[in-house]
Amino acid sequence: MGKRLWHGSPSVGTACLRFLLVPFCLVALVCGGDSVAMAPSVVLGPHERVSSQPQVVPMPPPLSDVLDQPAGVPGGYAMAMTAQVGARHVHASWTYVDGLPALNAQMDSWLLGLLDAAAPAGGRYRPAMALNAGQHQGREMTVSAKPVQAKGAMLVVREQVTDTGPDGTGAIRSATVYVDAASGAVHSGTELLRPEAIPALRARMTGIPADIAAPAPQEAPTDLVLSPAGELTVTAGLPGRPGQQVAMTMDAADTAAALSDYGRQALGQLNAAAAPGPATSPALRHVNCDLVPCAALTYDDGPDARTTPQLLDILREKNAQATFFMTGSNTTANPATARQVAEAGYAIGNHTFSHPYLTKLSPPAVRKEIERTDAAILAATGSTPATMRPPYGAADAAVQAAVGKPLMIWAVDSLDWQSKNPAAFVPKVLKEITPGAMVLMHDVQPTTISGQQELITSLQGQGYKLVSVPQLFEGIPLLPGHVYRSRPARQ
Ligand code: NI
């Protein structure tokens, strides 16, 4: 179980633990008194003694090497990032799961906490630190968080940090959290056990074989992996022993005696059938743009029956999200193309019906431009757009009051319609882009389409995650009549 979960096939340590479980039970009978002596305040019951000796085991490979595919986690999708944060070169990999905001929020707060801690004194982590981070500087730090079990209404997530010094040796910290998908509650691995059982477990973890002179783990273990069979594998880092951990597996009977009420619930969930989470449209999938450097490519004035499908092909091939601000007139002319954009999972916004300067129209005329376009997009795609973009970015207080939607204006204007030349607009965007920006382009221009391969490849190569407008602003309320150009920085 522990072996399958994270150690990978080469891990001799866990295999030995399993193989030697029975003899170690006998040893533990003999040694049980020692652990009581080491923690005199704890009285162990007959089944509370730990059944196997703790073992010093080699540090496992980073989770990212073992769990490229979060098998058995429906709706899981992998994220990865490299960042230069202060004196650390950080490689992060983690997994979000559709329909489980509690799990995704746990991943984000854990990652941001680590990155903030690594940031230069007094500063905070910023997504810009993950741009152009290919140059290795300072210490290597590997951070990963992956669901390892998805059963019933529960996900089990292992979080691991490896901090490597200049000599290549590393210290490892790991923890396991248990997430209730229904309530959103997050439980630490420690909560699996009755509080009275924890000192005994901790004491037992110090009983490292005498031939290995290693200092004991200092803190209560937080990395507790419960198997569906009811065995508990506990792993802890060893101070001063880089590259090594201490690990121990308790058999099902001893684990059962130590489990808290929550631990028994968790064991029940691990033996329930997996419950698939609800599917989410790709344009709405969780991405944290405070964590990864995001850019929202936006394409106005379409759909066009010839050029828009060409752009969809490029976006799909590059695994890039994007947003289309469609006019009502072009939607009415090309409803099949509008539907194709929606069915491919891209976000769609309202770009008025006839592309006027809204500042030159009366409020009722502004409203009519918006309503006719909403109706055209609804008829073609089955959904009404939540946001709008005023043509030419032209808006004043009267327009803002009349449109009844958030106004999504850009931070970077490619001027693609003016230059009609990728050699001009691609460098312009690359020069002006910053994390959180919306970028204005036009999918009705054939020259815009011919520059997208290069633009997207360059942005992704720098470390940008290309997201939809809803993804860019996730967690930020978008208010009708308010103007937005880029995602504000985390406070
Ligand atoms: Ni326009």
Side-chain angles (χ1 to χ4, degrees):
M1 40 118 244
K3 175 177 188 285
R4 178 165 47 81
L5 290 183
W6 81 91
H7 281 279
S9 49
S11 171
V12 177
T14 306
C16 289
L17 272 180
R18 302 296 309 285
F19 183 69
L20 297 174
L21 194 61
V22 173
F24 276 133
C25 287
L26 297 175
V27 172
L29 276 174
V30 177
C31 301
D34 290 347
S35 73
V36 174
M38 292 161 90
S41 62
V42 180
V43 179
L44 292 174
H47 287 284
E48 286 178 38
R49 72 186 156 66
V50 172
S51 56
S52 85
Q53 287 280 35
Q55 298 286 292
V56 173
V57 297
M59 195 168 74
L63 285 174
S64 51
D65 294 351
V66 180
L67 287 162
D68 286 338
Q69 301 296 324
V73 182
Y77 52 104
M79 301 285 296
M81 177 178 89
T82 302
Q84 185 68 43
V85 187
R88 282 187 172 76
H89 191 249
V90 182
H91 300 266
S93 62
W94 67 101
T95 300
Y96 293 129
V97 181
D98 264 352
L100 294 181
L103 170 85
N104 299 338
Q106 161 68 19
M107 296 262 172
D108 289 337
S109 63
W110 182 74
L111 286 164
L112 284 168
L114 287 169
L115 293 168
D116 278 346
R124 302 199 80 172
Y125 167 78
R126 295 293 178 205
M129 295 174 186
L131 291 173
N132 304 307
Q135 295 271 335
H136 289 226
Q137 289 172 34
R139 297 169 61 168
E140 292 287 311
M141 184 173 170
T142 304
V143 169
S144 57
K146 306 272 173 172
V148 292
Q149 291 270 12
K151 292 290 184 62
M154 191 178 70
L155 272 106
V156 184
V157 180
R158 287 199 81 230
E159 301 170 333
Q160 189 185 79
V161 179
T162 309
D163 215 349
T164 307
D167 58 351
T169 56
I172 191 165
R173 302 197 302 276
S174 57
T176 313
V177 295
Y178 293 74
V179 183
D180 186 309
S183 71
V186 178
H187 299 269
S188 73
T190 315
E191 290 175 69
L192 293 170
L193 303 179
R194 290 185 290 113
E196 315 86 83
I198 291 167
L201 176 66
R202 189 176 159 193
R204 197 64 216 161
M205 292 290 279
T206 66
I208 294 163
D211 59 315
I212 303 167
Q218 297 297 304
E219 294 167 1
T222 54
D223 189 355
L224 298 93
V225 177
L226 186 61
S227 78
E231 295 170 323
L232 188 70
T233 298
V234 187
T235 312
L238 280 174
R241 292 289 294 256
Q244 292 186 316
Q245 296 178 286
V246 58
M248 179 172 63
T249 300
M250 289 166 63
D251 68 22
D254 283 352
T255 301
L259 287 180
S260 63
D261 288 347
Y262 174 70
R264 279 190 292 278
Q265 274 178 42
L267 184 56
Q269 292 288 332
L270 283 174
N271 285 284
T280 306
S281 157
L284 300 176
R285 264 192 191 150
H286 173 67
V287 173
N288 190 323
C289 295
D290 294 328
L291 185 55
V292 294
C294 292
L297 302 183
T298 65
Y299 301 95
D300 287 12
D301 298 1
D304 181 279
R306 194 170 63 89
T307 52
T308 303
Q310 293 169 357
L311 176 58
L312 293 182
D313 287 345
I314 296 169
L315 293 170
R316 182 175 55 244
E317 184 205 321
K318 306 302 286 182
N319 193 24
Q321 268 302 319
T323 303
F324 293 78
F325 286 96
M326 296 181 177
T327 65
S329 56
N330 274 337
T331 303
T332 304
N334 305 296
T337 307
R339 184 161 54 250
Q340 195 184 342
V341 172
E343 285 177 352
Y346 296 98
I348 295 174
N350 181 319
H351 195 43
T352 74
F353 199 89
S354 59
H355 209 270
Y357 278 93
L358 293 178
T359 45
K360 296 179 178 173
L361 300 185
S362 67
V366 169
R367 275 194 291 279
K368 190 165 185 198
E369 283 282 337
I370 300 300
E371 285 164 9
R372 287 181 73 196
T373 306
D374 274 354
I377 292 173
L378 176 64
T381 69
S383 298
T384 303
T387 62
M388 68 84 60
R389 171 172 287 166
Y392 319 103
D396 55 20
V399 170
Q400 288 175 240
V403 292
K405 293 182 193 287
L407 290 79
M408 313 310 288
I409 304 182
W410 53 88
V412 176
D413 187 350
S414 67
L415 296 179
D416 58 337
W417 61 273
Q418 197 177 65
S419 68
K420 294 190 170 57
N421 181 3
F425 76 75
V426 171
K428 183 175 194 300
V429 172
L430 294 176
K431 181 165 176 279
E432 295 179 12
I433 189 103
T434 53
M438 282 190 282
V439 181
L440 171 63
M441 291 182 285
H442 299 82
D443 56 317
V444 292
Q445 298 285 348
T447 46
T448 295
I449 308 302
S450 50
Q452 294 310 297
Q453 190 88 29
E454 183 194 350
L455 177 66
I456 293 171
T457 302
S458 298
L459 288 171
Q460 290 177 333
Q462 288 181 20
Y464 277 100
K465 176 83 178 166
L466 300 179
V467 298
S468 68
V469 165
Q471 286 174 314
L472 184 70
F473 288 94
E474 194 202 275
I476 293 171
L478 294 179
L479 307 173
H482 286 236
V483 171
Y484 302 87
R485 296 175 187 275
S486 56
R487 181 183 176 87
R490 181 170 58 114
Q491 294 304 301

